[in-house]
Amino acid sequence: MSVGLNPRFRFDSLVVGATNRLAVTAARAVAEQPGVIYNPLLIYAPPGLGKTHLLTAIGHLALAKRPGSVVEYLTMDDFNEDYHAAVAAGRGDAWRQRFLATEVLLLDDVQFLAGRREMQAELLRLIDALQRENRQIVLASDRPPAEIEQLDERLMRRFGGGLIADIVSPDFETRVAILRRTAEERQTAFLAGVLEAVARTPIESVRELLGVLNRLVAEQAVTERPLTPERVRALLGIDAAAAATAAVEVVAEVTETVVAAAEESSTARDEFGTFLAELQATLEAQVENWRLGAERAVADFGARGFATRRLEQLLGDTPPAEPDVVIRQYEADVERLEAIAEEIAALAPELVESQTLRDPDALAAAELLLDDAKYRTLPLPGPVDAFSLETLTETPGNRMAVHGARTAASEPGVRYNPLVLVGPPGSGKTHLMHGIGVALQAAGMSRVACLGAGEFSDMLIAAIERNAVPSFRARFRRVNALCLDDVQLIAGRERTQEELFLLFNALSERGTQMVFTSSRRPAELVGLAPRLVSRLEGGLVATLEAPPRRERRMSGAVQGPAFRNAERVIWEWPDVLDRVIEEWR
Amino acid sequence: MPLVNYAARELTCKVVYYGPGRSGKTTNLQYIFDRVPAVRRGEMISLATQGDRTLFFDFLPLDLGTIAGFSVRLQLYTVPGQTYYRATRRLVLQGADGVVFVADSQSRRMDDNLESLRDLQENLLEHGMEPRTMPTVLQYNKQDLPTELIHAMPAMDDALNFRSAPSFGADALRGVGVFESLKAVSGLLLRRLAAEVPSA
């Protein structure tokens, strides 16, 4: 379906010359593959140089290639009036839908957008909508966009994103060719040199040039005598100076053989020019397949949520050296991103929404994110299973602590949270802490972390070095129970205390059981932040007394099971020997 | 294969005009040479005998300017048609991207046409080029001669065009069919190039 297409304006009735070749080639390309190559295409030229012809020719060719498609041609004035009529009738949406249904929209005289903010905004929306749907939009203006007054910068950018082609006044040969073709269409023969004389007039507009030709056709019909070049010059009022300037050419004109040679030369140039224009169209359509591929890739990957900057740059003004390599690399990067995203989804679902995983230009960052996800899921040090609550000897000095430990193990996070075990070295607090961890694991709890407060601090320092504190936090916040030995070791370490404070709050909110050991009550520790002190003191603080020397041999860590699995104990609890020595002393 | 230099953005294609002796191959090139603006073409190199028969080959480089960001050049060659220059023909055919087979439409030259076509096929195969996929157009020259002396287009097609290649009637002296043939073979080889250039 076509709206408003003048049947006379087609590509085969257009004379192609050096001054309009780019515009014609681009126009052919968009007519053959609407919405694919140059979108939008903007053609600008002074009045009378064939903009409307070209726009209409695009419409005809697009329809010939795809019969049944919707092609609409209208001037900016029509566009404007239709819009206001639609708005007045309360049918603004219908107006928009009408244009969204077109496959090729041809808008003439867009210079009349000057100062019309409302229409500019509508056109902007329309261009965006049409581009999204791969519909072609072609615009014509009598001046370059930069010279259209008060043109919205966003519109300028949209125009620049497609192709802007200009047409300037045709050269002498092209003017002769246009005049000859038109004379043939009018079935009028002129003497040699007549059309050349017309072509030499200082008229720039082809439309006006054809007006002159019409006058000559009429003149010749009325006088019934062939017009001579001299008569034509007299009729057109070409002044003496101009005539003098053209004197050399006049000599050529009167020499029949020279005129014939000039005609042949002109025809010859036309023949090669046509060949070149058609070949250009073929090459544009064929060799630039990568461009179509890139545009398709932009649409496809864009729709899947991937950033397409790299491909958009590919489609910029300067074609890259090896576009297919760039496209293949982009696809490979997207494939890798998808694999990374899948792996991360399994490891750390909270990271999967990261925009990094949608940006092939940030593949290196995505790899780091995967490392981060892996780090987050690395198991934290667990309890040493040699220390169980069952192997602990209950004494009057540790009764309350043992009770607290057993309760924490049987009802984690419910009654004594946090449980803070306080005692001097050798009192068995570490044994108790690990015992709780072992009991929780035995009850089926996963991710039970048991580690020294010094180790916690060292891990934080390593994370700061790697700029990976969020991963450090995420790793600890995944635990289902946290047992931290020797809290007194972080006294004076402000950053560690801050992280512990944040972790405490997060785990507390989730009801995660926490067990701490300390050589002194938290309130007595110098260098421990009051906010941490209050939280530790807010749970159950159970003290353990050092057992008499004779009982030590039979108690806790030095009992048989620890040594039956000595290698593992040393591996998982590197300071066990120090503790044993301390126990023995 | 067309020579594609992505770094320099250059595309160079070799088109060979093949056919029996005196069928009009050099005339084709001469016509093109006369029609192409001087800035667009190099010198036409013609090694000819005194009788103006092509001795070795004609060569006409054409600069088509920048198309789709590529500086495009066509190199047009003719081969000597006479039977005894087979080795030269094979040499010229090497590296061809497209072939314009210029047949003589005169009835009495049909055997020469057929022999030349066979020769073309053999030479292509010797170079490891597949005749079925080589971009080829057929030009039936001298269609301007009296009809009683020539085969009309359908008869020429029946006799020579068993692969349904694009075919053109021509009068190379006056340029009829010359640019049409060149355009067709250029289009075919560019399409082939596009198919071979990996795209997204």
Side-chain angles (χ1 to χ4, degrees):
Chain A
M1 189 185 91
S2 71
V3 179
L5 294 183
N6 184 327
R8 285 195 304 117
F9 293 159
R10 295 173 185 273
F11 278 109
D12 52 16
S13 58
L14 193 74
V15 176
V16 182
T19 56
N20 66 353
R21 178 163 298 128
L22 173 65
V24 174
T25 304
R28 264 188 187 279
V30 300
E32 283 175 356
Q33 291 178 306
V36 176
I37 300 179
Y38 308 120
N39 200 15
L41 170 65
L42 188 145
I43 297 160
Y44 75 87
L49 292 186
K51 299 184 295 293
T52 305
H53 189 145
L54 212 45
L55 243 59
T56 313
I58 291 171
H60 284 304
L61 184 56
L63 278 172
K65 292 274 175 190
R66 293 174 180 73
S69 56
V70 182
V71 174
E72 187 154 1
Y73 166 88
L74 70 172
T75 65
M76 186 46 68
D77 264 350
D78 297 338
F79 188 73
N80 190 36
E81 276 178 24
D82 287 358
Y83 174 70
H84 285 109
V87 170
R91 296 178 56 78
D93 281 346
W95 180 85
R96 287 183 196 97
Q97 287 307 317
R98 166 189 162 193
F99 292 112
L100 291 177
T102 56
E103 269 125 339
V104 179
L105 177 61
L106 307 160
L107 266 185
D108 208 350
D109 293 330
V110 294
Q111 70 274 9
F112 293 129
L113 278 172
R116 290 178 171 168
R117 292 273 176 209
E118 196 182 4
M119 286 320 300
Q120 290 183 20
E122 279 300 332
L123 183 60
L124 187 67
R125 273 194 285 274
L126 188 55
I127 289 177
D128 287 347
L130 289 173
Q131 281 182 326
R132 270 198 302 277
E133 299 292 323
N134 289 333
R135 309 287 174 88
Q136 181 69 46
I137 182 158
V138 186
L139 310 108
S141 163
D142 69 359
R143 67 202 73 172
E147 290 176 16
I148 300 176
E149 283 171 26
Q150 298 175 348
L151 186 65
D152 190 315
E153 270 192 22
R154 291 168 300 172
L155 261 183
M156 298 257 271
R157 280 200 295 274
R158 298 297 189 288
F159 293 161
L163 178 73
I164 299 177
D166 68 332
I167 304 174
V168 295
S169 186
D171 51 28
F172 171 73
E173 290 85 352
T174 311
R175 287 150 77 95
V176 173
I178 293 168
L179 290 167
R180 280 189 187 162
R181 182 173 287 185
T182 313
E184 271 173 32
E185 283 170 10
R186 310 268 157 88
Q187 297 178 330
T188 306
F190 289 102
L191 286 180
V194 167
L195 295 181
E196 284 74 8
V198 178
R200 285 201 175 85
T201 56
I203 299 167
E204 298 238 314
S205 156
V206 174
R207 195 180 295 137
E208 288 176 36
L209 205 62
L210 295 180
V212 170
L213 185 72
N214 286 338
R215 192 175 151 199
L216 299 185
V217 170
E219 184 74 25
Q220 190 159 280
V222 171
T223 57
E224 294 183 351
R225 265 192 329 195
L227 290 168
T228 62
E230 292 73 20
R231 172 80 182 133
V232 167
R233 272 190 288 274
L235 272 174
L236 300 181
I238 297 175
D239 61 27
T245 311
V248 177
E249 293 150 349
V250 170
V251 172
E253 282 168 16
V254 294
T255 310
E256 197 173 317
T257 52
V258 176
V259 169
E263 284 172 9
E264 196 185 339
S265 164
S266 166
T267 312
R269 269 195 283 274
D270 282 345
E271 201 168 358
F272 181 70
T274 308
F275 161 76
L276 206 54
E278 290 175 358
L279 198 60
Q280 271 183 336
T282 307
L283 196 59
E284 293 278 0
Q286 297 298 328
V287 174
E288 290 223 339
N289 257 2
W290 67 268
R291 188 180 283 278
L292 310 187
E295 281 169 348
R296 217 172 291 133
V298 167
D300 290 350
F301 288 112
R304 285 162 57 189
F306 289 101
T308 53
R309 274 189 313 280
R310 202 188 311 168
L311 297 178
E312 286 162 23
Q313 282 166 3
L314 198 65
L315 293 166
D317 291 339
T318 310
E322 294 187 80
D324 49 305
V325 173
V326 177
I327 296 170
R328 277 206 302 271
Q329 185 58 52
Y330 178 89
E331 288 174 336
D333 289 350
V334 167
E335 198 174 321
R336 175 66 191 142
L337 273 185
E338 286 179 323
I340 290 174
E342 197 175 328
E343 218 173 326
I344 287 179
L347 293 170
E350 71 274 13
L351 295 178
V352 102
E353 291 305 316
S354 167
Q355 278 306 305
T356 306
L357 297 174
R358 294 281 175 273
D359 187 354
D361 292 343
L363 189 58
E367 297 282 5
L368 289 176
L369 199 64
L370 177 59
D371 287 347
D372 184 13
K374 286 177 181 167
Y375 174 79
R376 286 175 189 223
T377 51
L378 273 181
L380 285 160
V384 177
D385 55 12
F387 298 118
S388 71
L389 292 179
E390 286 71 30
T391 59
L392 193 79
T393 308
E394 190 174 325
T395 65
N398 67 10
R399 186 161 296 130
M400 189 180 157
V402 171
H403 164 73
R406 286 185 178 140
T407 307
S410 59
E411 299 174 68
V414 178
R415 292 181 64 187
Y416 304 133
N417 195 23
L419 173 63
V420 182
L421 304 170
V422 177
S427 59
K429 55 186 185 301
T430 302
H431 184 144
L432 260 186
M433 184 192 83
H434 280 271
I436 294 169
V438 170
L440 289 172
Q441 276 187 334
M445 184 181 279
S446 61
R447 299 199 293 270
V448 176
C450 286
L451 68 163
E455 195 180 350
F456 177 81
S457 185
D458 290 344
M459 286 169 75
L460 173 64
I461 291 166
I464 292 169
E465 279 175 15
R466 290 192 304 115
N467 199 20
V469 172
S471 309
F472 166 87
R473 287 177 185 158
R475 191 176 173 195
F476 273 94
R477 284 173 197 192
R478 285 165 58 87
V479 301
N480 294 317
L482 174 70
C483 305
L484 205 59
D485 202 9
D486 292 330
V487 170
Q488 74 279 357
L489 295 180
I490 66 169
R493 296 188 180 191
E494 289 174 8
R495 182 66 197 271
T496 305
Q497 290 182 37
E498 185 185 332
E499 286 302 326
L500 183 57
F501 170 75
L502 295 173
L503 178 62
F504 188 103
N505 289 347
L507 296 183
S508 176
E509 207 169 283
R510 265 178 32 207
T512 302
Q513 180 65 51
M514 289 175 279
V515 182
F516 299 91
T517 75
S518 173
S519 58
R520 294 182 180 195
R521 287 188 67 96
E524 294 170 0
L525 286 174
V526 177
L528 198 62
R531 58 185 178 178
L532 209 47
V533 171
S534 73
R535 277 162 178 75
L536 295 178
E537 291 283 352
L540 172 65
V541 180
T543 53
L544 297 96
E545 291 172 9
R549 180 178 289 263
R550 62 185 174 79
E551 287 180 18
R552 286 185 200 168
R553 289 184 186 159
M554 298 303 294
S555 68
V558 293
Q559 283 192 347
F563 291 99
R564 277 202 295 273
N565 200 357
E567 192 179 346
R568 184 165 173 209
V569 168
I570 290 168
W571 180 255
E572 293 183 354
W573 198 26
D575 63 343
V576 68
L577 284 177
D578 294 341
R579 290 170 182 276
V580 168
I581 291 164
E582 194 179 309
E583 194 83 12
W584 180 78
R585 283 167 62 199
Chain B
M1 271 292 292
L3 196 59
V4 186
N5 183 340
Y6 281 107
R9 315 287 302 160
E10 285 176 356
L11 176 63
T12 306
C13 304
K14 177 176 179 179
V15 176
V16 176
Y17 282 70
Y18 212 93
R22 291 191 177 279
S23 64
K25 301 176 291 294
T26 302
T27 312
N28 263 272
L29 255 62
Q30 193 63 50
Y31 185 85
I32 294 166
F33 178 84
D34 291 342
R35 263 66 190 167
V36 177
V39 292
R40 294 284 199 172
R41 56 168 162 76
E43 283 303 304
M44 179 166 166
I45 298 165
S46 235
L47 298 178
T49 63
Q50 282 190 336
D52 269 353
R53 307 290 303 279
T54 304
L55 186 60
F56 196 67
F57 63 86
D58 305 316
F59 170 66
L60 173 58
L62 290 184
D63 179 6
L64 302 188
T66 303
I67 306 177
F70 279 83
S71 172
V72 181
R73 293 199 184 94
L74 282 186
Q75 295 177 335
L76 310 185
Y77 286 78
T78 70
V79 293
Q82 296 85 334
T83 317
Y84 38 88
Y85 285 128
R86 189 165 192 274
T88 309
R89 284 194 294 276
R90 199 166 55 239
L91 192 65
V92 174
L93 201 57
Q94 191 170 23
D97 302 309
V99 173
V100 178
F101 185 83
V102 182
D104 191 327
S105 297
Q106 295 180 84
S107 312
R108 64 183 178 84
R109 300 292 312 278
M110 186 51 83
D111 284 348
D112 295 336
N113 291 331
L114 286 167
E115 190 189 335
S116 179
L117 203 57
R118 217 170 11 248
D119 181 62
L120 169 64
Q121 175 145 335
E122 284 170 9
N123 281 335
L124 285 173
L125 288 170
E126 278 186 29
H127 281 306
M129 296 187 276
E130 175 52 61
R132 281 173 299 185
T133 55
M134 168 63 70
T136 305
V137 302
L138 276 70
Q139 185 192 90
Y140 306 137
N141 196 17
K142 307 186 186 177
Q143 284 284 316
D144 56 309
L145 291 178
T147 49
E148 60 271 22
L149 295 180
I150 60 166
H151 284 305
M153 286 280 292
M156 295 296 286
D157 263 339
D158 281 348
L160 302 172
N161 196 3
F162 42 86
R163 292 206 176 96
S164 300
S167 60
F168 301 91
D171 169 9
L173 269 176
R174 292 170 189 80
V176 177
V178 172
F179 272 107
E180 287 82 347
S181 306
L182 180 59
K183 191 178 74 189
V185 76
S186 309
L188 286 178
L189 67 88
L190 291 175
R191 265 193 286 281
R192 187 187 186 201
L193 171 68
E196 285 168 359
V197 170
S199 59

